[in-house]
Amino acid sequence: MRMPNSGDRRWRAPVVAVAAVSAVLLVSPASAVTPTADGAGQNIELNRLPDEEASVVEVLLADSAELDKLVATGVDLDHDVTRTEEGIVAHAVVTPSEAAALRARGYRLGETVFQPSDSAERVAEREATIAAHKAENQAFTASLVASDASDVKIIRADYYTSGTDQILSVEAKWAQGQTSTNALTVVRDSGPGTALGSGGTQNISRFVDAGVYMYHRGASTVTTRPDRIQITSPTGGVAVAQVKEWLPIPADDPEGPGYQKDFVSSYLTPTELYDRVHQLAAEFPGLAEVVELPYKTNGYRRKAQAVLGAANANRVAVDSLAWGHEGGNDISVELVNPGAASRPLSVTVTGKDIRVSLATNASGALTSTAAQVAAALNANAGSIVRAYTYRGDAGAGVVAAAARTGLTDGLKAPASVSRDPQPMYAIRIGKHRDGSRMGVLAYAQEHAREWVPPLVAIETAERLLRNYGHDGRTKQLLNNLDIWIAPSINPDGGHYSFYDYASQRKNMTNHCPLTDAADALGRNSWGVDNNRNYTEYSLFDGYSGASSSCTSGTYAGPSELSEPEDKNLDWLAQHKNIKFSMNLHSSGNYFMWSPGAYTTPDRISAPRPTLAEESFFWGASSRILTAIKRHRNMAVTPARTGPISDVLYSAAGNSGDMLWYKYGIYAWNFEVGTSFQPAWNEAHAETMEFSNGLVELMRVARDFDTDHQRPKSGLSVTASNTPGMVDVTFTVSEPAAVFYTLDGSAPTYSSTLYASAGVREGGETVTLPAGTKIHWFSVDAAGNVENNYRADGTGKNYQKGSAVLPTS
Ligand SMILES: [Zn+2]
């Protein structure tokens, strides 16, 4: 339900101008369209057969209207929508039969960009990495035994200064590190020629990734520069190493000297993600704690099921009453031809074995219908199973005999993945975790198959905790912020994606009725899209981009907040000090905010942010996207930066909109990288660059309430190689977004955005006809607008210039 804003927690950008937004955009919920029962006749009955795997396939669309129609079909779209001169290319996640259904509706399909075999390769790659690390550990141990050397080896010993602090960072590998949880103690000298121990000691602790021991590591402040260190392992091995000076890095880098990063070495399952945050909280008890969220998920579990028969009319679906792992998987059913005339239908149950003897007529032919067999099973084996005809069919077809068939939940994860309702966890980071500091919330993996975003969450948590001791800016962040990081919002679906069905998007909960796809053949289509189950501008409020079909990729659930995963995010957002959030998805390299939903076909949007708020979104974007770009020069483009409903498509009931409209949180959404499960080298690079961006959001949050300085900007005009043209660049006094016009009109937030991600790297060069009039303004990361300009097109005091070479 769209509730009025209760209490104004939003931090208004410190800008005087709060202009009215065009009235057509301000729709009251009461006037919203209610979807008709048949989804306005647009829903395609997509049937994801269980033996079909899904691929990511291009859908070629003429325009936004066609995109809206595609979204309204409820098809499973990924987050990549490319606007080209020829039209729009969207990415659909479809099985061959779903692709055929789309083609039958007249949609044009293009290239297949991701296939099931790609996921299998990713899993194989992850397993190979884990195996290689384990083999490395064994080889390391074996080589030490062979050479009769110490069982501990110092890998790095780096000394550096940070502000007035002196830091020693040590990494060492211990042969027992895989099996023993002991920390290692580092003994320091106090300079050349001094005794070991004279400089004091520090402990370093295990770094375990994807269940495999990597090495021990840790950094501590020291009072004097050590020359040598020594480690004596608990098993008596001794290693000594020379301390090296760590090179300084450029002064404008937001990461101070010795800044540590790169803490992930392979994809992590939800179980591993939660283990990791527990390890981190245990290692940094003064800075972090794990919070168990109040609602457990339904769990990585299903009823054991089978569908007997081949045609819809003679199929009988059988489900265990117990969960598969709690006895359901032991149940079996056989359908027997009695081999004699005029026999009645009968069911016998021996333990968990059900035997159905089918009825015959006077000539010995089988006569039991599917409806009769289902009724007989319910009457005689109803204490362990329920049976029903297939997807609402009358079941008038005669059932054939069938060999004994085991019911199964079909779940393939190892027993180490719990089948119980799953507790969900967030790690809360900060020196003062009592609600007294400004709160920031990051959460990942609402969509199960998006394996990179959780790594961004973990990497960011580790950067914050491991740099606190020696990086002044990180210390400032943790002393002044209250940071919540939830690495997996959809752990059941996440496990299912890793172990059973790589392209799983939704959670695992079956809301399909017995007359729909509740049977064994529908299991890969079950589940609620957790990012469509929230309370603002939802399907239930009449907004577009979510489906009422239980098998749709964007199924909104039976009601708002029906799902425990979504209740947990709502609970997190209720912490009144939280002012900023980041919803981490993949893929497409987008950076987005509200509104995220509109109605169709009239495209009435949820309310736009005010100009002051939009100032803040844009200004902060320039900083966050610049931080992302620093890693490998990947620029999130202006075309992929902005409100969700402008740059992607309508997504009714998404979490970003709930956080913004219901709780007044500045809520962003990342779409990380290029695909759901890229090869590891790419996944690693994406993790590093978007962690840069997420850490920068923490800095934005910290700076937000202290920055009241308005940005200043200027124009630089130089000669062009093209006759009659000149090259123009903008300069800004601090990271800020610049919007400009070339037609003499007053600039607004709809005007051209100048090189939003390129401030630190130097902005783009715009080549213009000599004499072009240029009007512009800049806005910084705190939402301060240059000259206090009112950016609605009615203000006058924007910057003005001409594309004219300065006279020398
Ligand atoms: Zn997603």
Side-chain angles (χ1 to χ4, degrees):
M1 186 182 300
R2 170 75 193 106
M3 299 290 288
N5 233 340
S6 53
D8 186 11
R9 290 204 284 131
R10 191 167 306 158
W11 282 51
R12 300 286 170 187
V15 176
V16 180
V18 182
V21 181
S22 172
V24 71
L25 298 171
L26 296 166
V27 60
S28 85
S31 70
V33 180
T34 306
T36 53
D38 66 354
Q42 292 164 322
N43 260 5
I44 290 182
E45 200 41 64
L46 294 166
N47 193 1
R48 180 165 286 185
L49 298 174
D51 52 349
E52 285 188 329
E53 296 266 20
S55 298
V56 181
V57 179
E58 291 176 348
V59 186
L60 311 174
L61 304 159
D63 51 26
S64 298
E66 278 201 5
L67 175 62
D68 290 344
K69 273 189 209 154
L70 180 68
V71 168
T73 65
V75 71
D76 184 355
L77 292 179
D78 89 355
H79 305 302
D80 198 288
V81 173
T82 306
R83 288 170 165 84
T84 70
E85 281 181 17
E86 289 81 46
I88 295 174
V89 181
H91 284 175
V93 186
V94 289
T95 62
S97 56
E98 289 171 334
L102 285 176
R103 280 199 193 89
R105 285 295 185 100
Y107 287 100
R108 282 190 304 139
L109 303 190
E111 310 249 308
T112 298
V113 295
F114 191 87
Q115 305 179 45
S117 59
D118 295 328
S119 294
E121 274 176 35
R122 297 298 95 78
V123 171
E125 188 178 48
R126 169 183 137 88
E127 282 164 4
T129 302
I130 292 170
H133 287 152
K134 283 187 174 155
E136 270 171 34
N137 284 348
Q138 279 173 358
F140 174 72
T141 304
S143 72
L144 295 178
V145 170
S147 62
D148 205 20
S150 164
D151 70 347
V152 64
K153 191 173 173 183
I154 296 169
I155 303 168
R156 304 184 64 97
D158 295 312
Y159 167 86
Y160 51 86
T161 57
S162 174
T164 56
D165 286 342
Q166 304 178 74
I167 317 291
L168 179 68
S169 169
V170 179
E171 295 174 7
K173 191 154 187 173
W174 179 35
Q176 307 301 317
Q178 180 68 38
T179 49
S180 168
T181 58
N182 282 326
L184 296 175
T185 302
V186 178
V187 177
R188 307 184 294 254
D189 69 10
S190 50
T194 61
L196 280 162
S198 61
T201 65
Q202 66 194 76
N203 281 338
I204 57 176
S205 56
R206 289 165 84 228
F207 169 34
V208 175
D209 194 51
V212 183
Y213 168 70
M214 308 296 282
Y215 46 82
H216 280 67
R217 62 181 173 185
S220 298
T221 53
V222 295
T223 52
T224 173
R225 183 198 190 295
D227 182 52
R228 288 184 315 147
I229 58 167
Q230 176 177 304
I231 296 175
T232 305
S233 75
T235 36
V238 177
V240 176
Q242 199 79 26
V243 174
K244 294 202 174 99
E245 178 108 31
W246 182 244
L247 294 173
I249 46 177
D252 75 329
D253 197 306
E255 299 161 358
Y259 192 86
Q260 295 182 12
K261 53 168 95 175
D262 200 348
F263 301 111
V264 294
S265 70
S266 73
Y267 287 120
L268 298 169
T269 67
T271 293
E272 291 166 343
L273 294 167
Y274 290 159
D275 285 350
R276 180 73 77 93
V277 296
H278 279 91
Q279 288 164 17
L280 285 171
E283 193 178 338
F284 298 96
L287 292 174
E289 64 194 278
V290 169
V291 177
E292 182 178 338
L293 307 183
Y295 302 93
K296 287 186 170 70
T297 68
N298 183 54
Y300 175 77
R301 61 179 180 175
R302 292 193 297 216
K303 301 298 171 66
Q305 298 181 295
V307 173
L308 306 168
N312 290 358
N314 69 8
R315 274 179 162 164
V316 178
V318 187
D319 299 353
S320 63
L321 299 188
W323 296 104
H325 68 289
E326 289 175 346
N329 288 338
D330 303 329
I331 298 172
S332 64
V333 183
E334 98 184 292
L335 305 177
V336 179
N337 183 335
S342 305
R343 303 300 297 265
L345 173 62
S346 67
V347 174
T348 48
V349 180
T350 309
K352 298 283 182 68
D353 295 336
I354 302 170
R355 185 173 192 274
V356 179
S357 183
L358 299 164
T360 54
N361 62 16
S363 55
L366 295 176
T367 59
S368 296
T369 65
Q372 289 166 341
V373 170
L377 280 167
N378 289 331
N380 297 290
S383 62
I384 55 172
V385 297
R386 67 174 172 189
Y388 46 98
T389 59
Y390 187 70
R391 302 201 178 179
D393 195 281
V398 172
V399 172
R404 183 160 292 283
T405 303
L407 271 53
T408 175
D409 61 16
L411 297 176
K412 300 199 270 290
S416 56
V417 173
S418 168
R419 265 65 173 171
D420 293 327
Q422 170 76 51
M424 287 173 54
Y425 299 102
I427 185 168
R428 187 176 188 179
I429 298 171
K431 193 76 186 158
H432 308 281
R433 301 181 301 280
D434 55 5
S436 66
R437 298 300 193 273
M438 181 187 280
V440 183
L441 166 64
Y443 56 102
Q445 204 171 40
E446 284 183 322
H447 291 149
R449 63 195 175 201
E450 298 168 9
W451 294 357
V452 177
L455 302 180
V456 176
I458 290 294
E459 170 73 17
T460 299
E462 294 230 5
R463 287 188 190 181
L464 294 172
L465 291 168
R466 296 198 186 282
N467 288 299
Y468 178 86
H470 58 270
D471 180 68
R473 290 194 70 177
T474 304
K475 183 172 274 177
Q476 278 295 308
L477 295 180
L478 267 59
N479 285 347
N480 292 289
L481 295 175
D482 184 2
I483 298 163
W484 295 78
I485 296 178
S488 179
I489 292 294
N490 179 6
D492 299 343
H495 286 129
Y496 195 61
S497 175
F498 269 95
Y499 295 110
D500 301 279
Y501 188 65
S503 54
Q504 179 75 10
R505 168 185 170 101
K506 305 184 286 179
N507 71 10
M508 287 179 67
T509 303
N510 175 26
H511 287 291
C512 291
L514 298 185
T515 50
D516 197 336
D519 54 84
L521 304 185
R523 293 194 290 206
N524 285 340
S525 306
W526 291 354
V528 174
D529 183 346
N530 291 114
N531 203 25
R532 299 293 185 276
N533 187 236
Y534 296 102
T535 59
E536 309 306 290
Y537 303 99
S538 70
L539 172 80
F540 309 97
D541 298 328
Y543 283 77
S544 171
S547 172
S548 57
S549 163
C550 66
T551 55
S552 165
T554 54
Y555 177 47
S559 59
E560 290 174 353
L561 291 185
S562 60
E563 303 308 292
E565 296 89 348
D566 298 74
K567 286 186 178 128
N568 279 333
L569 188 72
D570 187 59
W571 179 84
L572 281 168
Q574 287 168 26
H575 290 83
K576 293 200 183 311
N577 61 324
I578 294 177
K579 303 293 186 293
F580 301 93
S581 67
M582 187 67 73
N583 178 16
L584 293 151
H585 283 251
S586 68
S587 59
N589 289 320
Y590 286 90
F591 186 55
M592 303 181 292
W593 54 86
S594 292
Y598 49 76
T599 59
T600 53
D602 44 353
R603 277 189 165 249
I604 297 174
S605 171
R608 310 287 296 201
T610 65
L611 281 175
E613 292 158 351
E614 195 139 29
S615 309
F616 175 69
F617 277 123
W618 278 110
S621 300
S622 72
R623 270 180 69 172
I624 291 166
L625 298 182
T626 296
I628 289 170
K629 192 177 177 186
R630 288 181 86 93
H631 179 68
R632 56 170 176 173
N633 213 34
M634 192 285 294
V636 172
T637 62
R640 295 189 172 209
T641 304
I644 298 169
S645 56
D646 290 1
V647 301
L648 195 59
Y649 43 68
S650 182
N654 72 79
S655 57
D657 278 349
M658 181 177 78
L659 300 192
W660 170 245
Y661 292 109
K662 184 173 173 184
Y663 293 113
I665 295 169
Y666 278 103
W668 277 279
N669 306 267
F670 274 155
E671 294 286 356
V672 174
T674 51
S675 77
F676 298 133
Q677 297 145 17
W680 178 251
N681 281 348
E682 173 61 22
H684 177 262
E686 291 170 7
T687 303
M688 293 303 118
E689 64 195 0
F690 280 89
S691 296
N692 281 3
L694 188 50
V695 172
E696 189 65 24
L697 171 63
M698 309 298 167
R699 299 189 188 111
V700 165
R702 169 69 192 127
D703 293 346
F704 182 67
D705 53 343
T706 56
D707 178 11
H708 302 292
Q709 190 85 35
R710 297 186 186 285
K712 290 188 179 9
S713 63
L715 199 61
S716 165
V717 182
T718 56
S720 165
N721 293 332
T722 313
M725 307 291 276
V726 293
D727 287 343
V728 173
T729 56
F730 293 95
T731 56
V732 283
S733 59
E734 58 174 304
V738 173
F739 293 86
Y740 66 92
T741 66
L742 301 173
D743 61 1
S745 63
T748 69
Y749 289 109
S750 302
S751 302
T752 306
L753 173 64
Y754 175 70
S756 68
V759 177
R760 281 174 190 274
E761 328 297 319
E764 64 180 328
T765 297
V766 186
T767 302
L768 298 172
T772 304
K773 289 213 177 324
I774 305 169
H775 294 167
W776 77 94
F777 68 96
S778 65
V779 51
D780 75 7
N784 299 308
V785 179
E786 184 168 20
N787 296 337
N788 201 18
Y789 169 61
R790 183 183 165 107
D792 63 355
T794 64
K796 298 279 186 243
N797 54 333
Y798 46 82
Q799 299 286 89
K800 303 174 187 76
S802 292
V804 174
L805 285 171
T807 48
S808 53

